[in-house]
PDB file of all heavy atoms in Angstrom:
ATOM      1  N   CYS A  18      -4.633   6.519 -98.903  1.00 93.00           N
ATOM      2  CA  CYS A  18      -5.981   6.888 -99.022  1.00 93.00           C
ATOM      3  C   CYS A  18      -6.037   7.798-100.348  1.00 93.00           C
ATOM      4  O   CYS A  18      -5.415   8.822-100.444  1.00 93.00           O
ATOM      5  CB  CYS A  18      -6.622   7.594 -97.837  1.00 93.00           C
ATOM      6  SG  CYS A  18      -8.097   8.455 -98.106  1.00 93.00           S
ATOM      7  N   SER A  20      -8.284   9.838-100.981  1.00 91.00           N
ATOM      8  CA  SER A  20      -8.788  11.159-100.787  1.00 91.00           C
ATOM      9  C   SER A  20      -7.972  12.167 -99.924  1.00 91.00           C
ATOM     10  O   SER A  20      -7.533  13.113-100.340  1.00 91.00           O
ATOM     11  CB  SER A  20     -10.141  10.975 -99.993  1.00 91.00           C
ATOM     12  OG  SER A  20     -10.549  12.241 -99.498  1.00 91.00           O
ATOM     13  N   CYS A  21      -7.439  11.638 -98.757  1.00 91.00           N
ATOM     14  CA  CYS A  21      -6.680  12.519 -97.900  1.00 91.00           C
ATOM     15  C   CYS A  21      -5.050  12.094 -98.130  1.00 91.00           C
ATOM     16  O   CYS A  21      -4.310  12.661 -97.516  1.00 91.00           O
ATOM     17  CB  CYS A  21      -6.965  12.492 -96.508  1.00 91.00           C
ATOM     18  SG  CYS A  21      -6.479  10.928 -95.646  1.00 91.00           S
ATOM     19  N   LYS A  22      -4.803  11.088 -98.864  1.00 91.00           N
ATOM     20  CA  LYS A  22      -3.463  10.519 -99.252  1.00 91.00           C
ATOM     21  C   LYS A  22      -2.721  10.001 -97.992  1.00 91.00           C
ATOM     22  O   LYS A  22      -1.529   9.659 -98.201  1.00 91.00           O
ATOM     23  CB  LYS A  22      -2.654  11.796 -99.713  1.00 91.00           C
ATOM     24  CG  LYS A  22      -3.350  12.478-100.866  1.00 91.00           C
ATOM     25  CD  LYS A  22      -3.493  11.705-102.104  1.00 91.00           C
ATOM     26  CE  LYS A  22      -4.022  12.452-103.422  1.00 91.00           C
ATOM     27  NZ  LYS A  22      -5.084  13.386-103.140  1.00 91.00           N
ATOM     28  N   GLY A  23      -3.408   9.922 -96.834  1.00 91.00           N
ATOM     29  CA  GLY A  23      -2.775   9.328 -95.739  1.00 91.00           C
ATOM     30  C   GLY A  23      -2.733   7.757 -95.712  1.00 91.00           C
ATOM     31  O   GLY A  23      -3.350   7.110 -96.569  1.00 91.00           O
ATOM     32  N   VAL A  25      -3.894   4.031 -95.006  1.00 91.00           N
ATOM     33  CA  VAL A  25      -5.065   3.241 -94.534  1.00 91.00           C
ATOM     34  C   VAL A  25      -4.730   1.861 -94.523  1.00 91.00           C
ATOM     35  O   VAL A  25      -4.065   1.370 -95.492  1.00 91.00           O
ATOM     36  CB  VAL A  25      -6.184   3.540 -95.576  1.00 91.00           C
ATOM     37  CG1 VAL A  25      -7.629   2.996 -94.930  1.00 91.00           C
ATOM     38  CG2 VAL A  25      -6.325   4.984 -96.200  1.00 91.00           C
ATOM     39  N   CYS A  32     -11.441   5.294 -94.717  1.00 92.00           N
ATOM     40  CA  CYS A  32     -10.227   5.917 -94.100  1.00 92.00           C
ATOM     41  C   CYS A  32     -10.645   6.434 -92.751  1.00 92.00           C
ATOM     42  O   CYS A  32     -11.686   7.075 -92.584  1.00 92.00           O
ATOM     43  CB  CYS A  32      -9.743   7.049 -94.966  1.00 92.00           C
ATOM     44  SG  CYS A  32      -8.560   8.026 -94.277  1.00 92.00           S
ATOM     45  N   VAL A  34      -9.214   8.652 -91.030  1.00 91.00           N
ATOM     46  CA  VAL A  34      -8.892  10.070 -90.955  1.00 91.00           C
ATOM     47  C   VAL A  34      -9.911  10.873 -91.590  1.00 91.00           C
ATOM     48  O   VAL A  34     -10.571  11.778 -91.023  1.00 91.00           O
ATOM     49  CB  VAL A  34      -7.468  10.377 -91.327  1.00 91.00           C
ATOM     50  CG1 VAL A  34      -7.210  11.966 -91.393  1.00 91.00           C
ATOM     51  CG2 VAL A  34      -6.412   9.690 -90.565  1.00 91.00           C
ATOM     52  N   CYS A  35     -10.076  10.669 -93.008  1.00 91.00           N
ATOM     53  CA  CYS A  35     -11.021  11.595 -93.671  1.00 91.00           C
ATOM     54  C   CYS A  35     -12.439  10.992 -93.937  1.00 91.00           C
ATOM     55  O   CYS A  35     -13.282  11.620 -94.375  1.00 91.00           O
ATOM     56  CB  CYS A  35     -10.393  12.082 -94.986  1.00 91.00           C
ATOM     57  SG  CYS A  35     -10.345  10.859 -96.137  1.00 91.00           S
ATOM     58  N   GLY A  36     -12.522   9.772 -93.585  1.00 90.00           N
ATOM     59  CA  GLY A  36     -13.856   8.927 -93.686  1.00 90.00           C
ATOM     60  C   GLY A  36     -14.274   8.649 -95.166  1.00 90.00           C
ATOM     61  O   GLY A  36     -15.316   8.053 -95.313  1.00 90.00           O
ATOM     62  N   ALA A  37     -13.317   8.843 -96.090  1.00 92.00           N
ATOM     63  CA  ALA A  37     -13.540   8.450 -97.471  1.00 92.00           C
ATOM     64  C   ALA A  37     -13.754   6.794 -97.587  1.00 92.00           C
ATOM     65  O   ALA A  37     -12.860   6.092 -97.065  1.00 92.00           O
ATOM     66  CB  ALA A  37     -12.571   8.911 -98.514  1.00 92.00           C
ATOM     67  N   GLN A  39     -13.099   3.357 -99.277  1.00 94.00           N
ATOM     68  CA  GLN A  39     -11.932   2.876 -99.959  1.00 94.00           C
ATOM     69  C   GLN A  39     -12.374   1.725-101.020  1.00 94.00           C
ATOM     70  O   GLN A  39     -13.554   1.213-100.878  1.00 94.00           O
ATOM     71  CB  GLN A  39     -10.943   2.214 -98.933  1.00 94.00           C
ATOM     72  CG  GLN A  39     -10.488   3.170 -97.942  1.00 94.00           C
ATOM     73  CD  GLN A  39      -9.749   4.335 -98.476  1.00 94.00           C
ATOM     74  OE1 GLN A  39      -8.711   4.120 -99.097  1.00 94.00           O
ATOM     75  NE2 GLN A  39     -10.087   5.567 -98.080  1.00 94.00           N
TER      76      GLN A  39
HETATM   77 ZN1   ZN C 703      -8.356   9.447 -96.096  1.00 95.16          ZN
END
Side-chain angles (χ1 to χ4, degrees):
Chain A
C18 166
S20 171
C21 75
K22 313 289 188 314
V25 198
C32 171
V34 172
C35 74
Q39 305 295 306

